[in-house]
Amino acid sequence: MVDFRDRLNSEIPILYDGGFGSQLFARDIQLANSAIANESHPDDVVGIHSDYILAGAEAIGTNTFVVSPLHLEMADQNEVDAERLTRLAVQHAKSAVEKMNQPVYISGSVGPSPGAIEADSGDTTFGIANKKVREAHKLIINTLADEGVDFLCLETMFSAKEAAIAVDIARETGLPIAVNLTYKWTKERRTGMEIYKTDWGHSALNLLEILSSGEFSNGDSLVDYVDIIGLNCGAESKHEQHTGMPYAIMGTVQLRDACVSMNIENKKMMAYPNAGMPILDEDYKTIYTQTPEDMAKYVPELLDVGAFFIGGCCGTTPKHIAAFRERIDSL
């Protein structure tokens, strides 16, 4: 298989997988923490990965989004459990790739801490201490690297500062790094401009500025260590026109413009949004508003604005990814 960094130099887009947690729910697996499924439901974890590979995904993410000990302590687990579950997650992903006998890259998923961090809240009264955040990310990132993932994917980051802390740790592994924030729609009162910002108020431009600042890396700019910059998720509840694929397109444009304004070149862009808005059906089960066909029709436009690495987040199923694959292959 082509080395992942060499693959990034191709002009052919990479198709990522879809929502993992929502696929666990679809199998009636509901746990205090989805990472526990790596131990309690190994066949289902391998099965979900296999379904996405069968649908045409060229890269899959490990089931480690909330494996951080900061998350697991709420499920009565500790650092030892976090390391064990992380190793199992990578092993399950590798088992699926071997089972499907396809050239598929494995992404080590690194999610956000469960709440604001000290760097954003200003203290540890309301925020998680920066030291604890760094220690938790170091455990997971180093374990993912030790188990042999192809690249690290920092995702659903609400804090560009936490993303910088994680990149500072990840750069020591030598692995390619993807950084994805999750945004919501905002509108500036003075200018009327629509700007996507995270819950902690960080825009795409803020992300690049914080990575460049060296504030969390002993003065070193972290931009050169990041191979892929993008966005994922997008949990809007009131602005349907800013969810799913439209969100991914507008967010990618804003990220592209931010890179231009900072004179940052040669970064691949990534986008994997939710399947629209989550709503409850008549049986009080969560469903998402954008069908595979709804999302797939936007694939050409998403690629046209600069996305190279595309996929889906919450609510996107193997059927969505199969529809993406068909549209990409038709271009």
Side-chain angles (χ1 to χ4, degrees), residues 56-109:
E58 190 182 348
I60 58 173
T62 56
N63 181 33
T64 52
F65 176 67
V66 286
V67 80
S68 164
L70 296 174
H71 284 278
L72 283 173
E73 67 181 7
M74 294 183 282
D76 298 321
Q77 307 267 316
N78 58 30
E79 289 86 352
V80 174
D81 300 307
E83 182 178 346
R84 183 183 70 257
L85 292 170
T86 301
R87 293 191 187 281
L88 285 172
V90 180
Q91 290 164 20
H92 294 330
K94 288 183 175 181
S95 293
V97 172
E98 183 178 353
K99 172 185 174 183
M100 301 305 293
N101 193 28
Q102 297 287 333
V104 174
Y105 299 102
I106 296 175
S107 154
S109 169

Side-chain angles (χ1 to χ4, degrees), residues 139-161:
L139 173 65
I140 303 308
I141 287 170
N142 287 346
T143 303
L144 288 167
D146 187 53
E147 284 295 316
V149 298
D150 295 297
F151 67 104
L152 295 164
C153 186
L154 316 182
E155 56 183 345
T156 324
M157 288 285 167
F158 301 98
S159 167
K161 296 179 180 180

Side-chain angles (χ1 to χ4, degrees), residues 1 8 15 56 80 125 127 149 193 195 213 227 241 269 287 293 297 302:
M1 188 167 67
L8 290 178
L15 179 60
V80 174
T125 302
V149 298
M193 291 181 61
I195 300 177
S213 71
D227 300 86
Q241 71 275 28
M269 289 192 285
I287 60 173
E293 294 73 23
K297 70 183 181 183
L302 181 56

